[in-house]
Amino acid sequence: MSGRLRMPAALRGSRLFTLGVVAAIVAWAASGFYTVPTTSLAVTRAFGVVVERAVPPGVHWWWPWPVGRVDRAEVTRTLTLSVGFLFSQEFRGMPSDPSLGRWLTGDTNVIQIRAKVNFRVADPATYLFGSERPEDILQLVVGAGFTAASSSLPVDDVLTSGRLALIERVRAHAQQRLDAWGVGLQVLAVNLEAVEPPQPVVAAFQDVQNARADRERLISEAEAYASGLLPTARGEADRAVNDAISFRDRRVNAARGDADRFTELAAEHRRAPAILERRLYLETAERVLPRVRRYVLDPGGAGLPVKIVE
Amino acid sequence: MMRHARLAIVCAALLVVAAGTGTLFVVDTTEQAVVTRFGRPVRTCTVPGPYWKLPLVDRVTRLDARLLVTEPPPAEYLTLDKKNLVARTFLTWRVSDPLRYIQSVVFREAAEARLAAVTSSEIGAAFGAVPFDALVSADSATMRLGTILSQVEGRVRDAAERQFGITLVSLGLERLAFPQQNEASVFQRMRAERQRIAKRFRSEGDEQGVKIRAAADRERARILAKAQRKAAEIRGRAEAEAAHIYADALGQAPEFYRFLRTLESYDKFIDNNTTVILPADSPLMKSLLAGPPTKSEP
């Protein structure tokens, strides 16, 4: 210790310098502390080489500039991309240029698509250093996906049943390319907000819908007619059969009644034929003669004048 | 202790000096570099990291190592069957041969312009060689857009690699569209097609409605006819049964029946327009005339 005190002045100056340098180094080293927010991951580089690809949230130390660099990327946030319109114009309430969202379909119709693509940063290092303008690449790739899918589908499929298949094809198309090219983004979902005919032809497409409804209406009206007609017909049929059955009952019973009456008369006839026959004859005559014009004729002509009995 | 500290300080100072004088340079992970000595390329650095060079003498040209995107302006093409199509393409590429790249194209803008020109001419040639429905078709038999694009991509890739030291990663077709000036006629055609479809739906409705009604009418007629046949059968059997009953009963005394039936017939066919001339010797009158006198009414 005493030796130090006896140092020459020049040496003491150099000691101050040393202290200063050490302090500077310490300050430089201390500037290497950095934080990573909860939503992000960090990537560290030393001399331009990526060292750690995904530093988790928290406080960490890494070589400060000029040796090292730290970059952060938000990975938990879902980002959204607009397809067929511009967010910037929508926020200002302006209508987007319709041609932005127009695609050709396989049957050379034009459709207007409006979609949002949800995506996130899948790998921070790839996202940060893999490509220039990753979001623009995603936009182009999604557009290409719509082009590839819609140019092979008929318009009616795109507008109705093919929608799910369409967005799945677009998603798969985009993701496959993002992965192959090293863009570091992950497509979470392609949400079709609207797939419709372009404004100038909307009415014509609507009329097809109406015509389809008309067809269904005409058919169901006819079915209602049929379902009303057949029960009535079955009712009529039933009545005809029942009428016949009741005719049979009447006819057979009448026959039985007549037969029974005859059987009884016949029995009586067997006992006293002449009396019965005479009685019946007279009864008939009594019934018949009062209503007719009668003449009595005496064929013997034995002086008996013909008497007209009125 | 002191010596170590001094050594460290000296080293650090040397590093700082080296960097300051341009002896040390860093190639970032997003970059690649070409070192030229008086214009003569001496070194190509494609791997990121620190590199040495001679100060003042060596120059470092840095190039992007990332995936780059170029969007040529949309262009109009003519298919084999003389239909116009606007194609909007994009290219993703990397500098694969930095030396050839800086020798042939110098600037990024120049590289993009050359790439766009090659792309445009290749697409023009490819689209001009196929009919429209090879590019846009719902029929998978004619649709060859994917194949055609990958052929174009292959040709552009060859040219870019050979001429500019660029690796084409992909050639994408962001959009196919009809030219703006054709829009009105395209919409007119779409409307006409929709009208045709609407008409077809309506006449289908009419047709099926009529069919259903006719089938119902036919079914009704069938049901009624069947019922009438059944009713007629029942009536017929009833008549037969009645006849059988009569025959059974009347067969017991046919003569008596004939007598009774004759009387009944008189009852029926003699009405009040009938004039009956009775012979005085008919049984009826005989009793009247022969018997003791009664009142004048018969």
Side-chain angles (χ1 to χ4, degrees), chain A residues 172-196:
Chain A
H173 177 100
Q175 189 63 58
Q176 189 251 324
R177 280 155 184 78
L178 294 178
D179 292 345
W181 304 344
V183 180
L185 292 178
Q186 185 193 0
V187 179
L188 298 171
V190 178
N191 299 318
L192 273 183
E193 297 209 324
V195 183
E196 54 202 9

Side-chain angles (χ1 to χ4, degrees), chain B residues 158-176:
Chain B
D158 288 348
E161 190 85 66
R162 210 171 47 242
Q163 297 173 27
F164 318 129
I166 283 171
T167 294
L168 182 77
V169 174
S170 81
L171 185 152
L173 182 64
E174 199 275 335
R175 198 74 61 101
L176 273 178

Side-chain angles (χ1 to χ4, degrees), chain B residues 30-41:
Chain B
T30 62
E31 294 173 330
Q32 41 197 346
V34 176
V35 180
T36 51
R37 189 164 296 159
F38 299 115
R40 187 172 59 85

Side-chain angles (χ1 to χ4, degrees), chain A residues 5-48:
Chain A
L5 282 172
R6 270 186 270 110
M7 269 183 187
L11 214 69
R12 247 181 307 182
S14 105
R15 193 189 164 96
L16 261 177
F17 173 75
T18 307
L19 275 173
V21 169
V22 168
I25 289 172
V26 168
W28 178 75
S31 75
F33 286 101
Y34 66 97
T35 60
V36 181
T38 332
T39 56
S40 304
L41 291 176
V43 183
T44 58
R45 282 183 284 177
F47 295 113

Side-chain angles (χ1 to χ4, degrees), chain B residues 26-104:
Chain B
V26 169
V27 175
D28 191 68
T29 186
T30 62
E31 294 173 330
Q32 41 197 346
V34 176
V35 180
T36 51
R37 189 164 296 159
F38 299 115
R40 187 172 59 85
V42 290
R43 190 170 187 191
T44 304
C45 315
T46 53
V47 177
Y51 289 91
W52 298 103
K53 70 177 176 71
L54 291 179
L56 304 172
V57 178
D58 290 352
R59 282 178 65 93
V60 178
T61 309
R62 294 169 192 276
L63 301 166
D64 217 319
R66 298 176 297 174
L67 182 75
L68 303 176
V69 195
T70 297
E71 297 170 59
E76 199 171 317
Y77 302 97
L78 203 62
T79 62
L80 189 61
D81 44 358
K82 304 288 173 247
K83 285 183 179 156
N84 289 330
L85 263 180
V86 174
R88 187 178 164 213
T89 52
F90 67 98
L91 303 138
T92 54
W93 52 283
R94 290 179 209 280
V95 177
S96 56
D97 185 342
L99 195 55
R100 186 175 296 167
Y101 181 80
I102 56 169
Q103 284 168 344
S104 61

Side-chain angles (χ1 to χ4, degrees), chain B residues 19 22 30 60 64 81 86 101 122 133 135 140-141 166 177 180 184 192 195 198 202 218 230 234 265 267 284 297:
Chain B
T30 62
V60 178
D64 217 319
D81 44 358
V86 174
Y101 181 80
E122 289 295 347
D133 66 1
L135 304 171
S140 55
I166 283 171
Q180 194 73 32
Q195 279 158 8
R202 293 204 167 95
R218 199 174 58 233
K230 197 171 169 193
I234 291 169
S265 304
D267 204 351
L284 192 66
E297 280 304 303

Side-chain angles (χ1 to χ4, degrees), chain A residues 246-269:
Chain A
S246 64
F247 167 81
R248 183 187 66 194
D249 292 348
R250 279 198 314 276
R251 190 81 183 87
V252 170
N253 284 328
R256 289 218 177 91
D258 288 351
D260 288 352
R261 192 166 62 86
F262 179 78
T263 306
E264 276 166 28
L265 275 176
E268 203 167 322
H269 185 253

